[in-house]
Amino acid sequence: MLRCLAPRQLLSTLPLPLPLAPPGSWRVTAAVVTRERQLRALPAAQLRRSGGDSGPSAAAAAATLVGTAPRALQPYLRLMRLDKPIGTWLLYLPCTWSIGLAAEPGCLPDMSMLTLFGMGAILMRGAGCTINDMWDKDIDRKVARTENRPIAAGEISRSQAFVFLGGQLSLALAVLLCLNYYSIALGAASLGLVVIYPLMKRLTYWPQLILGLTFNWGALLGWSAVKGSCDWSICLPLYISGVMWTLIYDTIYAHQDKADDILVGVKSTALKFQEQTKQWLLGFSTVMLTGLTVVGLNSEQTLPYYVAVVAVGAHLAHQISSLDINNPQDCWKKFCLNRILGLVLFSGIVFGNLWKGKTKTDETEKVQS
């Protein structure tokens, strides 16, 4: 679902077609084209990105894991992006927030649920990437950064990918069936979003919104898995906050691919926002932080949670203020920082819940005395 990155070489062999949309809906700035030409002049090794994580050691470990697998399995592991775990993190973290918020006051999150959702995140992210690559086979072949994907490169046929997709979804279903009936139905309802997301970049300049609706489904599912149903006063603002977060990080991500997206005829919020990107990101951040504050109030959160929300706000402010939308390397760095942001919020939820338990204990002791 999140596209991998590689040196941009396509501009040296193809002309640059212009608008795919009505005049004025977006424009290609000279800075973008200039930057692409500068990138072609750099060594390939300097441009190559791990595509996997915010830390090189984690990315290297994931790539090594895939590289040491049996050769026949490697194309399938790359198809589900096991060598690039950042997407799995971004899918998993909203689940952890919800599970953490659903824990009883004074208790740690349910470790069995965190484990189940971790397995589910790996499988569903893999399934989403498989669906994406099946849809995009012909597009991927035309772009240097994606031409080596297993389906585009001919290592895996569409029929083989379809069978592999069935296997991933079957395992994901097995994970889902470990949950209560409400959560099973809720989880199954997300499958439509998983299937249609790859098509949205052909139809709308807002595919990042559809990705947000898809990637943050765990914000609903985590709570229902623990509690048996959703408390919408908590789950809905958490879900909206997660969607805003995805709009932030995936718009930043999309700015790396502006020239390639134009060449192959796909759309993104990066192309829509152009030089107004930072203003849009500030708006999304405001909605996200407001939603998280509402979550805290409705779930009776304590000081550590609000400290984490402030830290998230500072983190977003740094990302946006220092972002260079015409520097793909900077966009990639800012994109990867969002794993840390998600973990900061999860830590605030956990410690806030432990603090909540301590507060309730102190109040009980005062009443008894």
Side-chain angles (χ1 to χ4, degrees):
M1 296 175 72
L2 292 171
R3 294 165 288 184
C4 59
L5 305 173
R8 289 165 167 75
Q9 300 166 344
L10 194 57
L11 286 174
S12 63
T13 60
L14 293 175
L16 184 64
L18 287 175
L20 302 170
S25 61
W26 57 269
R27 59 188 177 86
V28 182
T29 63
V32 175
V33 177
T34 300
R35 184 61 188 170
E36 293 300 327
R37 289 171 179 165
Q38 292 172 346
L39 287 170
R40 292 204 306 273
L42 294 175
Q46 185 175 346
L47 289 172
R48 190 177 299 116
R49 295 168 176 78
S50 66
D53 211 348
S54 55
S57 59
T64 299
L65 177 66
V66 172
T68 56
R71 187 171 297 275
L73 289 180
Q74 289 183 24
Y76 292 94
L77 300 181
R78 287 189 288 111
L79 179 60
M80 64 186 301
R81 310 291 199 272
L82 278 187
D83 55 333
K84 300 173 176 65
I86 181 63
T88 303
W89 274 108
L90 295 175
L91 178 61
Y92 178 54
L93 283 165
C95 306
T96 69
W97 303 342
S98 191
I99 293 169
L101 286 166
E104 292 298 320
C107 297
L108 291 170
D110 188 325
M111 291 305 298
S112 64
M113 285 297 174
L114 289 174
T115 302
L116 274 177
F117 275 76
M119 295 167 58
I122 293 170
L123 291 166
M124 287 307 297
R125 197 257 176 146
C129 290
T130 302
I131 293 170
N132 183 79
D133 289 6
M134 289 171 68
W135 281 119
D136 288 353
K137 176 182 177 181
D138 295 333
I139 290 177
D140 289 345
R141 285 176 171 172
K142 300 174 184 177
V143 181
R145 63 181 171 80
T146 58
E147 65 183 359
N148 291 322
R149 287 179 175 175
I151 297 177
E155 296 178 84
I156 299 174
S157 69
R158 271 192 173 134
S159 59
Q160 289 173 319
F162 187 77
V163 172
F164 183 56
L165 173 63
Q168 292 175 89
L169 292 177
S170 296
L171 291 173
L173 177 61
V175 172
L176 187 63
L177 291 175
C178 295
L179 308 180
N180 55 63
Y181 290 128
Y182 184 100
S183 299
I184 292 171
L186 184 63
S190 69
L191 189 57
L193 288 169
V194 175
V195 172
I196 68 169
Y197 163 68
L199 289 175
M200 291 299 103
K201 58 193 172 190
R202 296 166 171 82
L203 304 176
T204 175
Y205 283 96
W206 291 88
Q208 280 70 27
L209 175 60
I210 307 304
L211 180 66
L213 296 173
T214 307
F215 254 49
N216 293 280
W217 204 259
L220 308 176
L221 194 57
W223 182 282
S224 72
V226 175
K227 296 290 193 179
S229 63
C230 286
D231 180 341
W232 294 105
S233 69
I234 296 171
C235 294
L236 187 58
L238 183 66
Y239 182 58
I240 293 171
S241 295
V243 172
M244 294 299 108
W245 182 46
T246 301
L247 279 166
I248 294 165
Y249 67 66
D250 208 53
T251 297
I252 293 173
Y253 185 96
H255 269 286
Q256 301 170 106
D257 296 334
K258 287 179 288 193
D260 283 344
D261 287 347
I262 294 164
L263 286 168
V264 298
V266 299
K267 304 171 184 179
S268 71
T269 48
L271 292 177
K272 182 171 182 61
F273 300 158
Q274 287 292 318
E275 299 304 318
Q276 285 73 48
T277 290
K278 290 191 177 185
Q279 293 92 313
W280 280 94
L281 297 186
L282 285 171
F284 296 147
S285 299
T286 301
V287 177
M288 177 183 179
L289 295 171
T290 301
L292 291 176
T293 302
V294 172
V295 168
L297 293 172
N298 290 344
S299 60
E300 300 180 344
Q301 273 295 337
T302 54
L303 180 63
Y305 173 84
Y306 293 106
V307 170
V309 171
V310 170
V312 165
H315 198 292
L316 290 171
H318 167 70
Q319 281 190 55
I320 296 168
S321 64
S322 61
L323 174 65
D324 181 354
I325 61 173
N326 294 315
N327 183 338
Q329 293 163 313
D330 186 58
C331 291
W332 174 247
K333 184 187 298 184
K334 298 299 192 301
F335 168 75
C336 287
L337 285 174
N338 282 279
R339 184 186 71 133
I340 296 173
L341 184 153
L343 289 171
V344 167
L345 182 57
F346 176 61
S347 299
I349 290 170
V350 172
F351 286 110
N353 205 51
L354 293 174
W355 186 298
K356 191 192 302 185
K358 180 180 181 300
T359 302
K360 288 185 179 293
T361 300
D362 292 344
E363 290 175 354
T364 302
E365 289 176 351
K366 285 182 181 179
V367 170
Q368 291 176 345
S369 63

